[in-house]
Amino acid sequence: MHPRIFAKFFWLPILLCPVFGSVGPAHDVPAREAPDLAELSLEELMELPVQSVSGVSKYEQSIRHAPAGVTVYTAADIRNQGWRTLSEVLRAAPGMHVRSDRFYDYVGTRGFTRAFDYNSRMLILVDGHRIDDPIYQQGAIGTDFILDLDLVERVEIISGPGSSVYGSNAFYGAVNVIPKRGRDISGAEAGVAVGTEPSGKMRATVGDRTNDGVDYIVSATQWWSRGEADFALPDAWRSVGALVAPGRLTGEVARNKDDMHHQSAYGRVAWRGLSGEAAYVRREKEVLPYVYYTPNDVDARGIDERAYLLLRAEGEPTPDSSLRAKLALNLYHYEGIFYPPFAAFQPFAPYADSLWASGEVSWRQSLGDSHSLILGLEHQENFRQDLGADFVATGLPYVRVRESSRFVSPHAQIDWEIATSLRASLGARYDYYDTGDERVTPRAGLIWEPDSATTLKLLYGEAFRVPNIAERSPSENIIANPAISPETNQSWEFIAERRFGTVWRLESHFYHVTSDDLITTISTNNPAQPDEQIYSNVQRYVTRGVDFGPSAYFPSGLQARASLTFQETTDAATDLVVADAPKRLAKLYLSAPIIDKWLRLSGEAIYVGDRRDAGSILSGVGNTGDYVTGNLTLRASRVWHRWDLALSVYNVADVRWSDPKNDGQIASAPRTAVVRAILDF
């Protein structure tokens, strides 16, 4: 982004302030009296904006004092908007865009994602527990996410590098999903949803908090969808077939090739400072022929399974300290059947299996009334990291990797109140991997509140991502690179937040990110093996951007959020904008009560600017064009005191935009509608 353009956008949020209220000192802002929380119903409490988060520093702290930019969506937001997957939540967040190859969903933030890579640079957490697997480092955010969104209490979206707290993969940020507790259910729930694809979903949940203080919740979900019944196949698909295997890639429509089956379960029990939880998900998804150039007359699909068992303990050894410990056993399994061109369209079966244990202990010490020190140690033991693929017809292996690894990571953070209105946060983490990788990543934040209505943050952070198993290991036409090293980035960010009374808030983010040593494949220039490639640290991306927007929560129950993002991510070697990096984003979120707050109409509109794809083997590099899409949900809560009913329409205008994929582009899903009913017992 040109410096002059950046300067214009710097002042724009300030110029907009008079539209939303006075920009004078806090005492000049007429304040509405805060509501008495004791007089609010559970539904009304759920509609209030969240004031604290736990994912930024691994302890509960005020959003205003957290050394990061944070966006929070609550269970009420999820139900009001009818969001079905974590990717739909992230799509609504400022500065983020989501693309889908109709097999997996991928999140881009701060103008960056890679159309040919895994979802490995935004760490996905469940209440602070890492969900990304240790093979592909894939963060599941679509129908393969481990939790049913009906079980989510809130989603914390943390922008900026988070490696000083979480280590590898918190490259551009982290998403911390907080599940509901048994007290949030207080009995039992049965949920049913029916969609027009057609699709169907059933959920049963039991949870409560006993008089003895035992909090428990158990839930199970079954979900299926036929997807798009008739998917139009582009000419490029048939052209590949004519080029490499005449007669195999034929037809203009793929019929019934988009089905999905999801089963998941979650349980948690807690008493005093002890808790145990377990989660499991199995997602089977059929692959549209165009995704991997699969013949139209075969059944290609993939299965993902994830599970974890987690034990936590926390207490207060002294009045001014707290101790937390957790121990987890985790599992990931993947298997698929494909018919790719490089296998001469014969059945090809990739697989992955991993089993790992992780543990962490942390001590937080209060130093006086306004200071604190955190010391922690995290360890992960990857017992099994198996990756491979076989040619089904011959039984011969295409690639077979068997590995194990471990890392250990001490970390520390000090939060210090320099003056009444000035705070500092300084943290660092050292990660040591037995593969030879090691990294120290710092984070520093200066937080100033010149008055009670204004918060200013100046943040600096670094992050890294270690190479995954596929990037380290040799395979067909790929040779191992013993010199491959972690990707790194450095980020500067300035955040300005202004509150106008208790209704309006205006927030602006200005950021500059430099990403170095990005891993990609390059040719070895071996005359004897012209197709031979190697993974190497060769790319450097630079991102400059700003996003800003207002939000409002009115006493009537009307809620509004909006954001505008202007950003540019360029390759330092070519000075060209990189693939799947929109320069402009715009989001609008509205939710309004229609009848006495029990009937509510909610909607969102999303604009994504033009993006470049990563190129196609036939047509070269192309552009997707920009698009606007929107969703609407009509929700009736507490009907006959027990029912929660909703009708959602997704992609209301039936816009068919294109998303970049590993080779070329793919059309988005068409308009769908879903009717939901939840019964409380």
Side-chain angles (χ1 to χ4, degrees), residues 279 349 662 678:
N662 64 314
I678 298 175

Side-chain angles (χ1 to χ4, degrees), residues 435-607:
T435 56
D437 298 320
E438 58 180 328
R439 185 69 53 176
V440 175
T441 47
R443 179 176 70 180
L446 196 61
I447 303 165
W448 181 38
E449 295 183 294
D451 55 56
S452 61
T454 306
T455 302
L456 305 175
K457 301 181 183 181
L458 180 61
L459 308 172
Y460 172 78
E462 297 182 9
F464 73 100
R465 183 187 74 87
V466 295
N468 63 38
I469 298 298
E471 292 164 337
R472 290 186 181 279
S473 306
S475 62
E476 188 76 13
N477 295 328
I478 300 287
I479 65 171
N481 181 2
I484 195 170
S485 61
E487 300 177 338
T488 63
N489 78 13
Q490 304 83 38
S491 171
W492 285 94
E493 182 172 5
F494 175 70
I495 301 174
E497 179 187 332
R498 177 72 175 178
R499 297 168 293 278
F500 305 98
T502 57
V503 174
W504 285 97
R505 182 172 66 93
L506 181 64
E507 188 169 341
S508 306
H509 296 245
F510 308 88
Y511 46 89
H512 183 284
V513 184
T514 303
S515 304
D516 289 302
D517 299 320
L518 297 176
I519 299 171
T520 191
T521 54
I522 59 173
S523 173
T524 60
N525 296 317
N526 183 356
Q529 298 287 340
D531 294 331
E532 187 178 79
Q533 293 185 314
I534 188 171
Y535 281 103
S536 186
N537 304 93
V538 295
Q539 291 181 315
R540 184 175 196 255
Y541 289 174
V542 177
T543 300
R544 302 175 182 88
V546 53
D547 60 59
F548 58 89
S551 62
Y553 291 79
F554 292 91
S556 63
L558 173 64
Q559 301 174 18
R561 298 190 191 192
S563 68
L564 287 172
T565 300
F566 299 90
Q567 60 194 5
E568 185 174 83
T569 299
T570 56
D571 188 325
T574 64
D575 203 31
L576 297 176
V577 175
V578 303
D580 197 26
K583 290 186 177 182
R584 294 176 297 278
L585 298 169
K587 316 286 181 72
L588 176 63
Y589 169 115
L590 294 171
S591 183
I594 305 300
I595 303 176
D596 294 336
K597 296 186 180 181
W598 70 270
L599 183 64
R600 177 177 288 270
L601 180 64
S602 303
E604 58 178 337
I606 297 171
Y607 167 79

